[in-house]
Amino acid sequence: MTPSLDYHALAPELIVTATLTIVLLVDLFWDQVGKRQVAHCDHRRAGGDGSDLDSGC
């Protein structure tokens, strides 16, 4: 005899787990993209000629 699962009872935990996993993955990759953008802007700013003022950095 196999036990039956009540999927309606498990749904809230599954939704929370899936949401947290997605948020953590997005945060992981978003952080890398953000660091790359900041490093790019800092590199341009090191020139000191003021050309980065209108570049969106």
Side-chain angles (χ1 to χ4, degrees), residues 2-20:
T2 60
S4 62
L5 292 176
D6 186 5
Y7 291 106
H8 288 90
L10 291 175
E13 287 83 0
L14 293 174
I15 291 171
V16 168
T17 302
T19 302
L20 288 176

Side-chain angles (χ1 to χ4, degrees), residues 25-56:
L25 287 173
V26 166
D27 183 49
L28 174 70
F29 292 112
W30 189 272
D31 191 35
Q32 291 176 357
V33 170
K35 285 181 183 177
R36 209 172 297 136
Q37 179 66 31
V38 169
H40 176 71
C41 290
D42 286 344
H43 175 68
R44 291 178 136 201
R45 211 165 294 192
D49 62 353
S51 63
D52 63 335
L53 294 177
D54 59 357
S55 67

